[in-house]
Amino acid sequence: MKLVEKIFIFELILSFISCLPPLPEEWTIEVDKAIKGEIVKNWLSDYSFTAPLRVKPGESWNASVEATWTGPSLQDPSLLNYLRLKFSPIKAEYDSLWSGDKFLVVKSYNQSNKHIVFQPNNSDAFMIASKNRIGVYNNMHFTLEVNYQLLPKMFVFINSRYSRDVEVTCSDGLFCNGEERYVLIGSSKVCMNAKMKPCDDPNGNPCSSYNCIEANRECSPMPVGGESCRKCNSTFVDENASCKELGLECGWNANKTVNCGSCGQNRVCSKNKCIDVSSLGEGSCQKPYLLYNQSRTIPANGLPAFSISGNLSLDKYVDHVIPVCNPAPVPDIVYEFEINSQVPMGIEVQMLKADGTTDEMDTVLALTNETCDPLPLYSFCGDDNVPPGGVSSRIFGKLSNGVYKLVATAFSDVPVNLQAFELKVKFYPNCIPQCDGNRNCGSDGCGGECGSCRNGQICHSESGLCRADPCLPDCSYMIKGNVTERRDCGMDGCGNLCGSCNVFKNEICAFETGKCVQVQLCDNLLPVCLGSPPKTMENPYCGHDCKWHGMLEPLGDLTPGNKSFVLPSIEYNWVNVSNRSCAIIEGCHKKNGDRLLMRFHTFVHNSS
């Protein structure tokens, strides 16, 4: 049989299986150009990804991608049948951790606004989580496929900084009912509820049992036994007595260790004193400025970037709102706006010093409800965020319909913080700017920009970082003097990798040397202990620290915050360090320059 005949028969079989007619010629041309790299523009923009935050091992989960179509015309509805998104992880070795069809097909398309929605085909189950690996799966992406041909540059990158990760875990995300575990029973692994709640004493002692506060993920400071427990609980602090001794009527003390409560109706807390709301002037929660000077309601089609100026040094502004990310008594300026839209409205606001610098004025931003009470999402209160970087702040997220207030304030009331400032504001319908983390330039995923680079620099589009222009890759590591070695992993300074490590061999990249090192990992949700337990140990078991323990030995009762609590708190800052700056693990830096600093909450609760 001739080769031409074989190809013809193959195409007939493919068409029969797919039930699709041949792709129109004009589309075939565009697809070929995209595959060859002659078209570099992504055909999907302003995309968003929806998936559950948590999935139990072995369970299926659903997902959807919404985007704006910017590719060839889809005037003919039958063309939608040719499009689908193929799921794949950034690292190829993670692919075996998922099972399922791994494709999303077009479920709806709006011809007028080009809004396209991809969802699983004829099923709620998109993927099935692994039974063998617990943890957060992030850095995923989808590649656009047209008529079974992958278009390499047409992808949807799932940014892990916007709660788009999918965590395979037994946890239900609640603190007060204890941490669920994945345990081996017989030959099967199953999810088990916690035997003990974090705030309860195992013997029921009221002086070492506490009420659980789910909203704060903590136990109350006073035991359920009340005042009668004071002799047996030396850690109890009588906040009322402390506030009276310090002369504080409300708010937190200077060290933020004692909370003196809030004020009564029609009164607010200002510098730890209760004042009447009628004494508050313009720019307060009761008499806010308009965030958008043309109307209180934000247009349904959003707003391009615009700026607002303010000045915290003016005497007419007083402290009267307490942001959750910084309760310090500092003057506040309040702005008001309203959302009335058919789709959720994305918002991003940055607060910088008036001259645009980010390393001096320590700003704080908070988004609240109509009565200036805090909103639950962590990204609605910002202190030291990237972007804009340094000690400047940023808030972002999606808002449903309602009235909101934006509070502009500072970390402390020192003169350097009470200055003129600038607010950079953006509103996007059904889209959140994807700039959080270490992106400081390039597209924000919603039609705007994360920032711009200085003269002599160029933006690396994938990483969102400014690089020297031209950029010279550097995969060398200085040992001493002029002696260097090649880096086997880590970044090359131009947005690419010098190499990668094998995560399945417990390898991580040592940042300073660029070498892959093997570490002893312990999965505290599924611990494995080496060898056999000591023969003298009574009733041994493998503990969550991957070490053997006796059933009756005393153990520490500290409960560190879990992933779902720590991950959303991560903040990044670019800081300039000298070669005299030293870290515990990396040692001293060999070169001066900017380093990316990661900060996160380290709350550890003593549960008894």
Side-chain angles (χ1 to χ4, degrees):
M1 187 181 295
K2 296 181 180 179
L3 179 61
V4 175
E5 293 175 342
K6 289 182 179 179
I7 294 175
F8 176 72
I9 292 174
F10 174 76
E11 289 181 345
L12 282 177
I13 294 173
L14 184 63
S15 299
F16 177 77
I17 294 173
S18 62
C19 299
L20 291 176
L23 193 67
E25 182 179 0
E26 60 270 23
W27 263 76
T28 301
I29 294 173
E30 293 297 307
V31 169
D32 288 342
K33 287 182 179 179
I35 293 175
K36 293 176 182 177
E38 297 176 13
I39 299 176
V40 295
K41 182 181 178 182
N42 196 341
W43 292 352
L44 297 170
S45 66
D46 303 344
Y47 50 76
S48 62
F49 174 71
T50 303
L53 290 177
R54 300 178 187 86
V55 182
K56 290 185 177 180
E59 284 192 354
S60 61
W61 56 280
N62 202 340
S64 66
V65 171
E66 299 184 33
T68 299
W69 178 260
T70 57
S73 172
L74 289 172
Q75 194 70 32
D76 181 358
S78 66
L79 290 171
L80 298 174
N81 298 320
Y82 292 92
L83 306 179
R84 62 181 186 174
L85 290 176
K86 183 181 187 305
F87 167 87
S88 61
I90 296 297
K91 290 183 177 292
E93 57 262 34
Y94 286 163
D95 193 58
S96 62
L97 301 173
W98 301 107
S99 57
D101 61 12
K102 305 182 183 180
F103 287 100
L104 299 178
V105 298
V106 178
K107 283 298 181 181
S108 65
Y109 178 66
N110 188 315
Q111 195 68 246
S112 60
N113 60 11
K114 312 297 184 185
H115 184 251
I116 191 168
V117 179
F118 294 86
Q119 290 180 347
N121 186 27
N122 300 323
S123 173
D124 291 334
F126 168 56
M127 298 290 262
I128 301 174
S130 171
K131 293 183 179 181
N132 301 316
R133 183 177 184 269
I134 291 182
V136 175
Y137 293 79
N138 52 24
N139 288 339
M140 302 178 287
H141 73 279
F142 294 82
T143 305
L144 181 65
E145 190 176 271
V146 180
N147 199 24
Y148 302 98
Q149 296 186 80
L150 287 173
L151 277 56
K153 297 293 184 181
M154 311 297 178
F155 61 83
V156 174
F157 177 72
I158 308 305
N159 190 319
S160 62
R161 290 289 293 140
Y162 294 96
S163 301
R164 293 169 178 165
D165 301 332
V166 177
E167 182 178 10
V168 179
T169 176
C170 291
S171 174
D172 58 7
L174 298 177
F175 172 78
C176 291
N177 65 357
E179 186 68 19
E180 295 78 10
R181 304 288 182 181
Y182 197 40
V183 298
L184 185 65
I185 298 181
S187 59
S188 302
K189 300 171 186 174
V190 297
C191 289
M192 295 288 290
N193 294 329
K195 293 183 178 179
M196 284 294 302
K197 296 180 180 179
C199 302
D200 294 349
D201 179 83
N203 299 315
N205 186 345
C207 291
S208 54
S209 297
Y210 302 81
N211 291 317
C212 190
I213 307 171
E214 184 64 46
N216 298 336
R217 303 182 68 84
E218 66 181 13
C219 303
S220 63
M222 179 182 289
V224 295
E227 294 288 343
S228 62
C229 296
R230 293 195 64 180
K231 292 182 180 180
C232 68
N233 186 358
S234 60
T235 62
F236 170 67
V237 176
D238 187 340
E239 290 189 334
N240 291 330
S242 298
C243 294
K244 187 174 182 179
E245 182 180 344
L246 295 170
L248 307 180
E249 297 178 6
C250 56
W252 290 85
N253 66 337
N255 296 327
K256 302 176 186 177
T257 56
V258 176
N259 188 345
C260 298
S262 56
C263 302
Q265 190 174 8
N266 297 324
R267 292 169 69 80
V268 293
C269 187
S270 177
K271 295 189 175 181
N272 298 115
K273 301 294 181 183
C274 289
I275 62 173
D276 196 273
V277 295
S278 61
S279 65
L280 298 174
E282 62 179 5
S284 67
C285 185
Q286 283 65 35
K287 302 173 184 177
Y289 296 123
L290 288 180
L291 183 65
Y292 178 49
N293 59 11
Q294 297 186 24
S295 120
R296 186 173 84 152
T297 303
I298 302 302
N301 59 349
L303 286 171
F306 66 95
S307 297
I308 299 175
S309 299
N311 196 328
L312 287 172
S313 68
L314 302 182
D315 293 336
K316 61 181 178 179
Y317 302 125
V318 299
D319 164 50
H320 66 292
V321 182
I322 304 177
V324 293
C325 57
N326 181 50
V330 183
D332 311 302
I333 302 181
V334 181
Y335 303 86
E336 185 178 59
F337 64 94
E338 182 179 7
I339 301 298
N340 187 5
S341 171
Q342 294 182 352
V343 296
M345 183 68 71
I347 181 176
E348 181 196 47
V349 184
Q350 298 180 17
M351 182 177 179
L352 310 85
K353 188 180 174 184
D355 62 5
T357 58
T358 61
D359 56 354
E360 184 178 83
M361 183 180 179
D362 197 345
T363 65
V364 173
L365 273 176
L367 193 62
T368 72
N369 63 13
E370 189 173 7
T371 58
C372 287
D373 293 320
L375 296 176
L377 192 62
Y378 83 97
S379 63
F380 286 155
C381 195
D383 173 35
D384 300 352
N385 305 101
V386 175
V391 291
S392 296
S393 52
R394 171 178 178 256
I395 62 97
F396 64 95
K398 279 187 180 180
L399 300 174
S400 55
N401 290 344
V403 176
Y404 299 91
K405 290 181 178 176
L406 180 72
V407 182
T409 182
F411 182 75
S412 62
D413 59 358
V414 296
V416 72
N417 290 337
L418 303 183
Q419 299 187 60
F421 62 85
E422 177 187 17
L423 297 180
K424 295 183 176 181
V425 187
K426 300 177 184 177
F427 284 97
Y428 296 111
N430 204 29
C431 189
I432 302 176
Q434 300 176 25
C435 298
D436 199 43
N438 59 349
R439 293 187 67 87
N440 51 29
C441 66
S443 172
D444 63 3
C446 296
E449 298 289 325
C450 292
S452 57
C453 300
R454 299 192 296 264
N455 290 335
Q457 292 185 328
I458 191 172
C459 185
H460 185 265
S461 59
E462 290 187 19
S463 66
L465 299 178
C466 294
R467 306 296 186 192
D469 184 24
C471 186
L472 300 177
D474 182 9
C475 284
S476 63
Y477 162 64
M478 185 178 296
I479 302 175
K480 59 181 179 179
N482 294 322
V483 181
T484 61
E485 283 189 3
R486 174 175 169 77
R487 300 172 65 89
D488 298 326
C489 58
M491 304 301 294
D492 66 356
C494 293
N496 298 309
L497 290 172
C498 297
S500 59
C501 302
N502 191 330
V503 294
F504 289 98
K505 292 183 178 179
N506 296 342
E507 289 183 350
I508 63 171
C509 185
F511 171 79
E512 189 69 16
T513 63
K515 300 295 182 183
C516 294
V517 295
Q518 197 168 37
V519 295
Q520 293 295 326
L521 297 182
C522 177
D523 184 351
N524 68 329
L525 297 178
L526 192 63
V528 176
C529 293
L530 298 178
S532 301
K535 294 181 179 180
T536 56
M537 185 176 290
E538 186 176 358
N539 297 322
Y541 70 97
C542 185
H544 294 300
D545 56 358
C546 295
K547 296 180 180 178
W548 294 107
H549 294 277
M551 190 65 72
L552 300 180
E553 72 175 82
L555 294 177
D557 55 359
L558 298 180
T559 305
N562 60 21
K563 292 177 182 178
S564 60
F565 186 57
V566 175
L567 284 177
S569 73
I570 294 175
E571 302 276 356
Y572 293 88
N573 290 89
W574 282 101
V575 295
N576 189 274
V577 298
S578 68
N579 56 9
R580 296 185 300 275
S581 178
C582 304
I584 294 176
I585 300 299
E586 295 89 349
C588 299
H589 290 287
K590 303 299 186 295
K591 301 177 183 178
N592 297 338
D594 289 340
R595 296 290 187 274
L596 189 63
L597 178 70
M598 184 175 74
R599 310 183 327 168
F600 52 90
H601 292 316
T602 55
F603 296 132
V604 177
H605 174 70
N606 189 324
S607 62
S608 63

